[in-house]
Structures are given as C-alpha cells and as structure tokens.
Amino acid sequence: MSGALDAAARLDWVSRPAGPLRGTLAMPGDKSVSHRALMLAALAEGNSHISGFLEGEDTRATAAVLAQLGVSIETPAAGERIVHGVGLHGLRGADRALDCGNAGTGMRLLAGLLAGQAFDATLVGDASLSRRPMRRVTEPLVRMGARIDTRDGLPPLQVHGGQRLRGIRYESPVASAQVKSALLLAGLYAEGETDILEPHPTRDYTERMLAAFGWPIRFEPGRVRLAGGHALRATDVHVPADFSSAAFFLVAGSLVPGSDLLLRAVGLNPRRTGLLLALRLMGADIEVIGERHSGGEPVADLRVRHAPLHGIELPTALVPDMIDELPALFIAAAGAKGTTVIRGAAELRVKESDRIATMAAGLRTLGVAVEEAPDGAAITGGTLASGTVHGHGDHRVAMSFAVAGLVARDGVRIEDCHNVATSFPGFMELANGCGFALRLA
Ligand code: S3P
C-alpha cells in the first residue's frame, strides 16, 4: 500500500475519561454465528432467512465470496439476509480470487468448504490475514485428500477442485473452532466419517447449526462426528448478540465509578463466556437476567455495575472460553488492584495482531507494569497515565484501549482503529450513547 493510501485508510481515536456509563444497549450480531449461517444457508436446498446478522466487514466479505460462487443473497433490511441456497453441489467457480478481508474465520472455514468442490479457487486476505497461520487447517484437509497450496503456510490459499475427500479421525493439537469447522465443512463432501477430537472444547456453533439444517451429526464437548452423503435443508437462523462485543462494556461498566449498564439479549454459549466468570473472580458485579433460548442458543440480559476489581491468577481452563475477550481482560487487569496473571494463551499471538505484544506495549505506554510471557502476561493494575497507543489494525485492541481511555488520566489516543468495523460497526456511537467520550482524532 502506498503511504498516501495508508494515511487515508488510517483512523485514529481519542478516548477521554468520562462516565458514569448508563443505559440499555443492544450489541451487534454474533460474528461466528453470522459467518456460519451464510455458509450453511448457501449449501442448503431452499431459502434461509437470517436475522440479527452482523453487518460487519468480516461477515460481509464472506457474503461477497459466496455471491462470487454463484449464491444469490438478498438484504431485505439491515441485519437480515435471505440466502437462496444452491445445494451441496451447486456452487460454481469464480473468475477472480475470493477476498476474505480481515477475517480468519471466513478464510479458514471457506478453505474447508472449497476443498470438496469440483472447481479451483483462491482465497486471499488483507495484510493482517496474510500473516496468519493456515497450516492448522490445510494439513488436516490434505490428510482428507484435499489439495491446497499456501505461501509457506500463509495465505493466499489455492484450493484445487475435483479431489476425492475421505473422512479422517483428527486429534487437533490446537483448541480451535475454526479448524474444527473447516474439517466439518470438508466432511460434508467426504466419504465416510469425519471424527474430530479437541484438546479443549471450543464453540460448537457449526455443530448446532448443521443439526438445525438437518445434517446427521453427533457431538459432545470436545468431540464431533459426521459422515458425508446427506443434504442440508434451508432453515431460518436468528443470530444472538455477540458476547465478544458485550465484553468491552462489561469491563468499562466495571471500571467506571457509578456505572450501571444493561446489555440486552447477549449470546451466552458456555464456550464464549469465560470473561464473565473471570470478571466475577476479580470482584465484578454482573447480573445475568432472564436466561432464555433464542435461535437454539442461550441468551440473557447482562447488568453490569461498577465494582472495585482485584487481580487474579486467571484459571487456564477459562482461556479457550474467552480467547477473544483477553484484550478486554488486560484492561480490566490494568484497572484492578494487584496483579493479574494470564497464562496458557499463546494463541493470542496469532490473532489479528500479536495480542500479547500489542496489549502489553500499549499498557506500558500508559504506565502499567506488564511482564510478558510466551503464553500470557502478568499485569499489575493501578492508575493509568495518558499516552498514544497503537491499535495495530486490530479491532479488539482498538476497542480495548477505548475502554482504557475512560480511566486514564487525560485519556488515550489510539492510532489505527479502522478495522473496528470488521466486528463492531457503530461502536463509537453506541459507546458515546452510554457515556464514553470517544472522538476521531
Ligand atoms: C472463531 C474461533 C476463534 C476466535 C475467532 C472466531 C470462530 O478462533 O478467536 O474470533 O468463529 O470459529 P480459533 O479457532 O483460531 O481459536
């Protein structure tokens, strides 16, 4: 990218001390569920209506890829899609590369879906996605009979069509819902059974949704099995509000004195809610109100009120259930009394940025003592100074530091926030609506 383009694409924020935070907020739709709903609906027979769809750049990129593959997708209103499914064998090859943007979930799941097609396809992504490891999906897919070329384990991915896939038993070395889901999507096209074992149970949206689309599947925490040779039947999907987006408000509401926020109908899939438990261990006051089911997923309203937080040794068993929320936890730890120790989180190093390094660097700029470890950090909380931190084009890093600005002496300037819209369009408006003082720099 040229310097001029870089400058044009860059978006800097200033977040200043403010509050108390008050109000009732609706979070955008869940990113993981939105990606999967599009993909399964595309492969189904008939029309599926998706509501609560995340209008984020990541999920829109997946919709655009599916459109390139011949799937007609209507947008009757914001947050809604009608997907005209083409059936398992109805996709057609595209004449251009398929651009997944910033989305690891999009690229890795599409790799599995494309492995079983009759045509060749190339998956590309932005600069951040082009640095993310893909062998974790291509290796097991190749064992299933797929042919995929990478650039030394990195994107672009060239997926060769016309391969015969067979089911495998795969003991995954990483706890990754993306790896599991890629293999399940390839497994739809494979002869025999695909049997996946995980080192720690991960989010099970693909499993639940395949069942909802009528595919026979057996799953329990940590293991899933399915066989090829069935069909997906169109169904309507309601996407719950994204717990990962709620995370920033749970931390902000806890840190800012006098705050009282109600977050409406947030998805509480147990594989996503580690942060809720971690914050409670730190002394947070978070109430789960009116637990119910919506679209096959547990949801509830979350009420968070300010409470003094203290440091904890984060139980490593919670880490996979809060892998996307750890940047927000870094901020909670910085505002807590005492030291918080996070270990067992090496996966953070291969997210949209190296989140251990980017969060540690930003917090140090704000005068917080952080000791980095290969798989985590020890953060000693206290008062936050002002400063300029880098968002590294990582949506969750940018939003985490927007929360930090609320309690930093004269606020925080955050550089490179343009990717926030990948997962949380409208974050700034929603945040300011409940009492943040967040502005473009
Ligand atoms: C996701 C799985 C997680 C998570 C990502 C979304 C998914 O990644 O970090 O934001 O939708 O399957 P890993 O599978 O790499 O852990």
Side-chain angles (χ1 to χ4, degrees), residues 12-42:
D12 298 349
W13 285 353
V14 174
S15 175
R16 293 197 189 286
L21 307 177
R22 294 286 170 93
T24 299
L25 307 180
M27 297 294 124
D30 188 278
K31 182 154 71 72
S32 295
V33 177
S34 296
H35 279 297
R36 287 160 172 81
L38 285 174
M39 291 184 204
L40 295 193

Side-chain angles (χ1 to χ4, degrees), residues 15-21 252 255-257 259 405-408 432 434-438:
S15 175
R16 293 197 189 286
L21 307 177
L255 289 179
V256 178
S259 295
L406 287 166
V407 290
N432 286 332
C434 73
F436 279 60
L438 184 61

